Amino acid sequence: MSGPPHKHEFGPREEDLARCVHCGFCLQACPTYVVLGLETESPRGRIALARAVSEKRIEPTPQVIAHFDLCLQCRACETACPSGVPYGRIIEDTRALVQERPDRPASWKLRSFVLRQAFAAPWRLRLGFSLLRFYQRTPIAPLARRLLPKRLRDMEAILPRLPNRFFDPPVHAAEPAGTPKATIGILSGCIMGMTHPQTHEATVRVLARNGYRVLVPRDQGCCGALHVHNGDPKAARVLARKNIDAFLASGVDYVVVNSAGCGSAMKEYGDLFAGERDEAKARRFAAIVKDVTELLDEDGFEAPKGRVEARVTYQDSCHLVHAQRISKAPRSLLRAIPGLDFVEMETPDRCCGSAGIYNVTQTEMSRRILDDKMDDVMRTNPDIVSTANPGCMLQLQLGLNLRHDDAEVLHVVELLDRAYQNEPR
């Protein structure tokens, strides 16, 4: 999502707002509009509200802010829009305008505080997830699931079953069998290494197998995507600078990401730093960011000889298909796996309702959207549901649990790794 230089004065940019011609192509692409059928819960309606707030024709009252809050920021409207309206940037800038107001809702203040404190130091997250893992293995957990109020039970159900070990970045680079094609730096990020360490490990193996020298820089951290989406670009820039410096100092040719939401945010660092002293460095960094499926598909990957005998459907992660415009690459990887029966959903690019922390802040709407998604998933009768983003993986697993279905949820790169592992020795 590139655009003209912009000083961070908070609020949507006039040139962005002016691109919306109110044609309505976005309406049926928007999950909240499809569910509710209300103009105010459509991209077009939210853009009208954002303009009115920006021009001070209306006040950002709690009722107005609620419409911005209900947006998933899936950016499906951007794919549908014939005018190229950068809706993601409009809603982010509008939320930043609200966050700057001292009279913003208490929930927004709390959200900003928690995101800033929790993600500022990796050890805090690791401690928190270690305590959560301990809780899940005690008799307290099943008791809590019965006694908690419904709202808290729904939130508790979102929590993943944490693995026995978290991802620890390897001290040394993973080396390919021959001369490296390039040196890769992998984003381990913040939460994914604790919820899906196996995905990071599979990513390292797959890239090394395909001729890359793979590093996991230890000085990296959260990419800042959650902060940007929740209207806190200041905090996002602090985190982004840390990652930019860590990866550029490591001398990598590419920064590879296996989380679609993180990859989207990092590719847009240039816009995040527009008008700032670090803008040129941020744009240089953004230019070498690649999704793992994108890199393998563009650069060429070794077709596995091992078989995966399974019926697989694929869920397009919103920020991969709509923000990064990548849909062919993950399918190319899946179709190259021997034995795999690939079946498309009717609407694979419709949001699953995860959307960062949306399933926590807007649990009821998230569940309604997930329910529609799971109807689509179930029609394919899959053994495995594949996707390319950890938030989607958690949400889809929740959906399968609610349907009492034992299908697996796997990242695309995990399936490719499984095929390599199944090769004859």
Side-chain angles (χ1 to χ4, degrees):
M1 186 171 60
S2 61
H6 176 68
K7 292 181 179 179
H8 297 282
E9 297 165 348
F10 302 104
R13 314 168 198 197
E14 174 56 34
E15 61 269 24
D16 289 347
L17 294 169
R19 297 185 73 166
C20 179
V21 297
H22 310 289
C23 66
F25 277 89
C26 61
L27 298 181
Q28 292 305 316
C30 176
T32 53
Y33 181 83
V34 169
V35 170
L36 298 173
L38 299 174
E39 178 70 16
T40 47
E41 306 308 345
S42 73
R44 183 174 67 179
R46 292 186 180 108
I47 287 173
L49 288 173
R51 179 184 284 279
V53 169
S54 179
E55 294 173 353
K56 299 183 179 179
R57 288 186 284 111
I58 62 172
E59 285 294 309
T61 62
Q63 291 77 14
V64 171
I65 291 171
H67 298 303
F68 301 136
D69 245 351
L70 204 60
C71 174
L72 293 125
Q73 290 181 279
C74 68
R75 292 168 64 171
C77 53
E78 292 189 11
T79 300
C81 180
S83 302
V85 175
Y87 177 80
R89 186 164 65 208
I90 290 172
I91 201 72
E92 287 169 4
D93 288 348
T94 302
R95 286 179 171 180
L97 177 65
V98 173
Q99 279 286 18
E100 281 296 296
R101 293 176 62 96
D103 61 346
R104 66 193 182 279
S107 61
W108 282 51
K109 294 177 183 178
L110 176 63
R111 192 184 311 168
S112 177
F113 175 80
V114 170
L115 288 174
R116 284 192 174 206
Q117 295 303 312
F119 292 87
W123 68 266
R124 292 177 188 165
L125 280 176
R126 200 172 183 93
L127 174 61
F129 274 85
S130 296
L131 293 173
L132 174 59
R133 183 171 58 188
F134 174 76
Y135 153 78
Q136 289 181 335
R137 285 155 175 75
T138 67
I140 299 173
L143 181 65
R145 293 184 194 111
R146 290 197 299 269
L147 299 180
L148 287 172
K150 183 180 184 304
R151 162 74 174 159
L152 293 178
R153 282 202 314 273
D154 287 346
M155 292 176 65
E156 201 271 351
I158 297 168
L159 297 173
R161 176 71 178 178
L162 294 176
N164 292 327
R165 56 181 177 74
F166 297 148
F167 178 74
D168 286 314
V171 176
H172 303 293
E175 301 288 351
T179 303
K181 293 194 287 188
T183 298
I184 298 297
I186 290 181
L187 176 78
S188 57
C190 46
I191 292 176
M192 191 173 175
M194 290 171 283
T195 59
H196 297 90
Q198 75 283 357
T199 308
H200 282 334
E201 291 160 359
T203 302
V204 172
R205 287 193 297 266
V206 166
L207 288 171
R209 167 66 182 265
N210 281 279
Y212 299 100
R213 182 171 181 263
V214 186
L215 303 172
V216 186
R218 286 182 168 267
D219 292 335
Q220 63 172 295
C222 174
C223 69
L226 292 175
H227 304 75
V228 173
H229 298 331
N230 286 279
D232 194 356
K234 292 179 181 177
R237 283 194 289 273
V238 171
L239 296 168
R241 283 190 183 97
K242 182 178 181 180
N243 277 342
I244 291 169
D245 290 342
F247 280 98
L248 292 183
S250 67
V252 297
D253 299 299
Y254 297 107
V255 177
V256 172
V257 190
N258 53 19
S259 166
C262 299
S264 171
M266 293 166 75
K267 286 182 177 182
E268 294 169 0
Y269 274 179
D271 192 57
L272 177 65
F273 284 91
E276 301 281 322
R277 58 180 174 81
D278 297 321
E279 180 181 355
K281 186 162 65 170
R283 293 194 184 279
R284 188 166 75 251
F285 173 88
I288 62 171
V289 174
K290 295 276 188 181
D291 184 78
V292 61
T293 65
E294 175 188 20
L295 178 73
L296 290 168
D297 186 51
E298 287 181 352
D299 225 14
F301 65 98
E302 184 181 345
K305 300 177 182 65
R307 299 179 66 81
V308 176
E309 303 289 350
R311 186 177 175 89
V312 177
T313 193
Y314 174 71
Q315 158 70 10
D316 282 292
S317 301
C318 292
H319 279 82
L320 193 63
V321 67
H322 298 306
Q324 300 185 55
R325 304 299 172 98
I326 297 171
S327 62
K328 181 182 78 70
R331 289 171 170 83
S332 295
L333 270 59
L334 292 174
R335 289 191 173 107
I337 298 174
L340 190 147
D341 179 17
F342 179 58
V343 185
E344 287 276 18
M345 296 181 222
E346 289 180 20
T347 54
D349 61 344
R350 181 62 58 83
C351 186
C352 65
S354 173
I357 60 172
Y358 188 91
N359 54 3
V360 175
T361 62
Q362 300 289 337
T363 305
E364 182 181 352
M365 178 58 70
S366 174
R367 288 290 180 89
R368 293 177 69 176
I369 292 168
L370 174 61
D371 197 43
D372 289 342
K373 171 56 62 177
M374 294 312 299
D375 287 343
D376 201 359
V377 170
M378 292 295 100
R379 281 190 286 268
T380 69
N381 192 29
D383 302 307
I384 297 171
V385 184
S386 186
T387 189
N389 185 65
C392 301
M393 293 168 73
L394 294 175
Q395 184 81 340
L396 291 167
Q397 187 62 65
L398 171 63
L400 290 169
N401 293 344
L402 293 172
R403 300 282 178 121
H404 305 289
D405 193 283
D406 59 0
E408 284 186 278
V409 178
L410 295 175
H411 194 287
V412 173
V413 79
E414 289 182 82
L415 269 169
L416 187 58
D417 181 60
R418 182 175 291 185
Y420 287 141
Q421 299 294 323
N422 287 345
E423 290 179 337
R425 297 297 177 186

